[in-house]
Amino acid sequence: MTETTHARVALVTGGSGGIGRAVAECLAQDGQRVAVHYAGNQTRAEETVQAIEAAGGRAIAVGGDVADENEMAAAFDQTEQAFGGIDVVVNTAGLMVLGPLATFDLDDLDRMHRTNIRGTFVVSQQAARRVRNGGAIVNFSTSVSKLQFPGYAAYAASKGAVNAMTLILARELRGRDITVNAVAPGPTATKLFLDGKDQADIDNLAKAPPLERLGTPDDIAEVVAFLAGPGRWVNGQILYANGGII
């Protein structure tokens, strides 16, 4: 059954955990209906939905491989059928595999780029077709593109492609009153970022920004909520949310 409401509706890819879950919950707190997307872990997505609804919000879980155009078309269909339309798409889904360029496994390169590049393209394509006038599309980049940490070449390259897509799509949607931006987090305390790092590396990264701490998923979610709501005059930009590290 389609819900009839004047509330804005958001689809958050990768919304079952980490930054994605924080974004989904933050948008729900702002009064948006939220479709929490997952690729493989439906249980975690349902937990996010339950947390949103326990706090008085409205949410559903939708599944699909972000790089598969048919599965994502179905996820967009489910969202529209449940809530009557889509106003905001936030594409947090991504993979990060690290290693020196000279020895990097090309299968890992292909797997990461399939999610980060093709996945962002597929989701952005659906969003460009479906988001209602007055809406917002928010992709996810990385501050590593400027920090240039060794070992991040493949990951940063994939996010460089995200930057290009974001900036060009903003211009292609001229006349639709739809903003298109990307958020580029710095070091953020998520499982994706912390895995494989020893405590000394984590401590050094925490000291790097003038605010002298790692970011949190909530820090990033607040930036997304601004772009997805009141930030209507910010368009075609890459916002570096990193506590001043660069």
Side-chain angles (χ1 to χ4, degrees), residues 13 37-40 64-72 91-97 104-124 140 154-155 157-159 161-162 165:
T13 73
H37 163 270
Y38 64 92
D65 174 1
V66 291
D68 186 307
E69 63 273 28
N70 295 317
E71 292 186 14
M72 290 315 299
N91 196 22
T92 76
L95 289 178
M96 182 168 66
V97 183
F104 201 85
D105 186 293
L106 295 182
D107 288 337
D108 285 340
L109 178 74
D110 292 341
R111 182 166 59 92
M112 182 165 55
H113 284 198
R114 183 178 186 277
T115 296
N116 295 358
I117 298 177
R118 181 185 170 94
T120 299
F121 196 99
V122 166
V123 173
S124 295
F140 262 70
Y155 178 69
S158 73
K159 294 301 187 175
V162 171
M165 282 184 262

Side-chain angles (χ1 to χ4, degrees), residues 35-59:
V36 179
H37 163 270
Y38 64 92
N41 198 327
Q42 183 175 357
T43 299
R44 288 179 64 192
E46 294 289 356
E47 289 171 354
T48 304
V49 169
Q50 290 167 12
I52 288 171
E53 294 191 333
R58 287 281 292 113

Side-chain angles (χ1 to χ4, degrees), residues 43 52 84 138 169 190 225:
T43 299
I52 288 171
V138 183
L169 182 58
T190 64

